[in-house]
Amino acid sequence: PPAGPSKKRSQPEDDVDMAGNDTATAKDGGASGLCAPAFRRGRTAGNGNAAPTTLGGMQNSDEFGLNFPLPWEEKRGSGASTACIVKLYDQDVDALRVCDTVEILGILCMHAEMANLCPSSGEVLGEDARSPSHSLVPRLHAISIRKLPFFHPLLPFTPDWLSEARLAAPYQANLSAPGAHAAARSAAVAQLARGLGGDMLATEYVLMMLASRSFAKHGDKPLGAWSLNLARWPQGVDVSSFGQAVSELVPRAVLLPLNTQSLNTQKWRPVKDYQANRLVAGQLQLAHGTVLILDETGLAEGQVTAPGVKSLTAVGTLVTDHHLACDFAAYDVKIPVELSCILVSNGKSIVKLVDTVVPVQFEAPPAQGESCPLGAARFLLGMITRSTKVLNIPEAVAAQISDDFAKIREMLQEVPSELCHTWMALARASCFSHGEDELTLERWNSVMQLEKQRLGRCKLQGVL
């Protein structure tokens, strides 16, 4: 007998909403920049086959581009990064947000009639930026979605599954041998010191930054997250060596120049394009857990335009408030995002209210490459940042912290009251990097020695 009509709902091609709604929900992986790449020196890829034609004023796919947050990611045909439109169903429709990192299991859909392998003619299906060619941007029908915050390739598991008990097993296998934990930490210190000219004080603070993670909130303020300004960077020393040293230890590190020209001309924050109904990516749109290094050493006198002022404001909002400001024309939508922000400057950073300022003192020129095998150091940092557990602080140590903070405020009137929150973040990162779950007086005193050296440098060089 003839087969009856299929009851399966068809999936029309025009139901793709690449920007989500006005609450900045990312319904399409290709338009939301879900994952940030590893560190690369910034260069803008040229678009050799851009077509000048538009359809009724609408940009076509070539003109719009692949909408990656970082412009040098757009290398068409080289396979460096692939944009993808992901079609979501049922409860997954509103599951994703901008800056999420996700793993998707789905069915790849290719329509030959939408491939558009010929040169742009202005009359071919797929010219509309909202429905790019399938050969350029494949479609994926999602069956299963896993969110992977602070994704690390050595621990590719969800937070719900990766409990403290399950984390203990790989720790025992990799770092439980006598001296293994200390050796892993020493390898990380040696690697960072190469990029910081042998400055061990700055090295310790950068390591604590890489080991930090927000573990709770006090009101709207995330506890455990802080920002770092490496001030007094030597003139003529390239920051890329430091960026390369960091990128050898973490899976995602991005170096962005922060100067008058970049503020005026580059896309820093996402902007809603109402005509194309999608969110145009900005280079601050990075995955949670990315180490963002902002290079201010190229700052010079110049006029910052109105868009440049908005870009600088967006940078400040990200660094100090830990929110990504998305421009929706009449208003901004602020999305919580957790990045490790390091600002490198010749003087004090132009971003106000940075939590910690460390004037650097180079003892030797920075070097690139690996100082020693870094596998254990990478695993150690991955273990620390995958956990959001709270540091145990005994009452005696808490009383000592209170006394030390009162003494510092008496000695240095410039010290802000928020410094105590930063101290807690530093103590947590220092303890976990040494394999300790409880803050002892010995560990607290070592953190205070670092703080006294840092504050002494700041006072001497006038950057408090």
Side-chain angles (χ1 to χ4, degrees):
S6 173
K7 295 182 180 181
K8 184 177 180 181
R9 180 178 66 87
S10 63
Q11 178 66 35
E13 191 62 41
D14 58 358
D15 67 350
V16 180
D17 179 7
M18 297 186 69
N21 53 33
D22 284 2
T23 59
T25 300
K27 294 187 180 180
D28 301 282
S32 60
L34 298 179
C35 289
F39 170 84
R40 295 181 181 90
R41 297 196 65 176
R43 61 185 185 277
T44 303
N47 189 357
N49 55 355
T53 58
T54 58
L55 300 177
M58 181 72 69
Q59 285 183 312
N60 61 31
S61 302
D62 283 334
E63 290 176 322
F64 198 97
L66 297 181
N67 202 28
F68 288 119
L70 300 173
W72 59 87
E73 280 294 286
E74 187 163 336
K75 301 176 183 177
R76 304 189 186 189
S78 65
S81 296
T82 301
C84 183
I85 296 177
V86 180
K87 299 191 177 185
L88 308 176
Y89 300 91
D90 303 326
Q91 71 273 12
D92 293 330
V93 169
D94 297 316
L96 304 186
R97 296 293 183 269
V98 173
C99 300
D100 281 350
T101 301
V102 296
E103 179 186 77
I104 299 174
L105 173 66
I107 299 173
L108 181 64
C109 179
M110 295 294 291
H111 285 220
E113 66 273 15
M114 291 290 292
N116 188 13
L117 300 176
C118 302
S120 176
S121 63
E123 299 178 356
V124 189
L125 288 174
E127 286 285 311
D128 191 336
R130 294 171 298 184
S131 185
S133 165
H134 280 225
S135 61
L136 182 65
V137 182
R139 273 60 164 176
L140 187 67
H141 295 264
I143 297 175
S144 174
I145 296 176
R146 292 199 310 163
K147 286 192 176 184
L148 300 171
F150 267 69
F151 172 75
H152 197 286
L154 297 178
L155 298 163
F157 308 106
T158 61
D160 293 336
W161 188 87
L162 198 62
S163 62
E164 291 297 327
R166 288 191 170 114
L167 275 174
Y171 179 87
Q172 292 293 327
N174 292 272
L175 299 173
S176 63
H181 192 115
R185 190 183 190 281
S186 297
V189 168
Q191 175 65 21
L192 293 173
R194 288 170 62 85
L196 290 167
D199 186 345
M200 299 309 296
L201 179 64
T203 295
E204 287 290 339
Y205 275 90
V206 173
L207 180 60
M208 287 189 286
M209 169 62 73
L210 300 186
S212 294
R213 177 77 192 272
S214 175
F215 59 89
K217 279 193 173 184
H218 180 70
D220 292 333
K221 182 178 178 61
L223 300 180
W226 54 290
S227 53
L228 173 64
N229 176 204
L230 298 178
R232 301 302 183 194
W233 191 266
Q235 294 284 350
V237 176
D238 194 355
V239 181
S240 64
S241 296
F242 168 62
Q244 187 65 41
V246 171
S247 71
E248 295 292 341
L249 292 171
V250 296
R252 295 172 306 279
V254 176
L255 172 63
L256 298 177
L258 182 65
N259 51 53
T260 304
Q261 181 180 3
S262 66
L263 288 172
N264 292 340
T265 60
Q266 295 181 8
K267 297 176 182 178
W268 286 86
R269 57 180 184 163
V271 178
K272 180 62 181 283
D273 184 341
Y274 286 94
Q275 187 179 26
N277 191 28
R278 61 190 289 180
L279 197 64
V280 181
Q283 57 189 3
L284 294 180
Q285 185 179 329
L286 302 170
H288 299 288
T290 301
V291 178
L292 173 60
I293 304 172
L294 296 170
D295 179 10
E296 300 181 20
T297 59
L299 273 173
E301 292 185 3
Q303 184 174 2
V304 180
T305 61
V309 172
K310 292 182 179 180
S311 297
L312 182 58
T313 302
V315 172
T317 300
L318 179 66
V319 171
T320 59
D321 297 336
H322 308 284
H323 281 82
L324 173 66
C326 301
D327 184 2
F328 276 68
Y331 57 94
D332 284 349
V333 174
K334 294 185 178 180
I335 301 172
V337 61
E338 190 177 350
L339 306 180
S340 300
C341 297
I342 303 176
L343 303 98
V344 182
S345 57
N346 294 129
K348 194 173 181 179
S349 174
I350 60 171
V351 178
K352 307 300 182 183
L353 303 179
V354 178
D355 294 312
T356 305
V357 181
V358 180
V360 296
Q361 295 180 357
F362 277 27
E363 298 178 1
Q368 293 188 355
E370 294 187 15
S371 57
C372 58
L374 298 176
R378 294 169 183 145
F379 182 80
L380 173 62
L381 292 175
M383 288 280 295
I384 295 172
T385 54
R386 289 293 290 163
S387 175
T388 57
K389 63 182 178 182
V390 178
L391 178 66
N392 184 24
I393 303 178
E395 291 185 5
V397 180
Q400 184 65 44
I401 293 172
S402 179
D403 292 342
D404 289 340
F405 183 67
K407 292 177 182 178
I408 289 292
R409 290 295 300 274
E410 290 178 1
M411 293 171 53
L412 299 171
Q413 300 296 327
E414 304 90 341
V415 171
S417 58
E418 293 80 7
L419 180 62
C420 195
H421 289 290
T422 306
W423 279 2
M424 294 298 96
L426 295 176
R428 180 181 183 274
S430 180
C431 282
F432 288 172
S433 70
H434 284 90
E436 302 165 354
D437 294 331
E438 181 175 287
L439 180 60
T440 62
L441 277 175
E442 180 184 4
R443 184 61 56 207
W444 172 248
N445 289 332
S446 68
V447 172
M448 285 306 301
Q449 287 298 320
L450 294 175
E451 276 292 273
K452 289 177 181 178
Q453 292 182 52
R454 179 184 74 84
L455 292 172
R457 282 192 190 183
C458 289
K459 186 175 182 180
L460 183 64
Q461 301 196 28
V463 292
L464 266 180

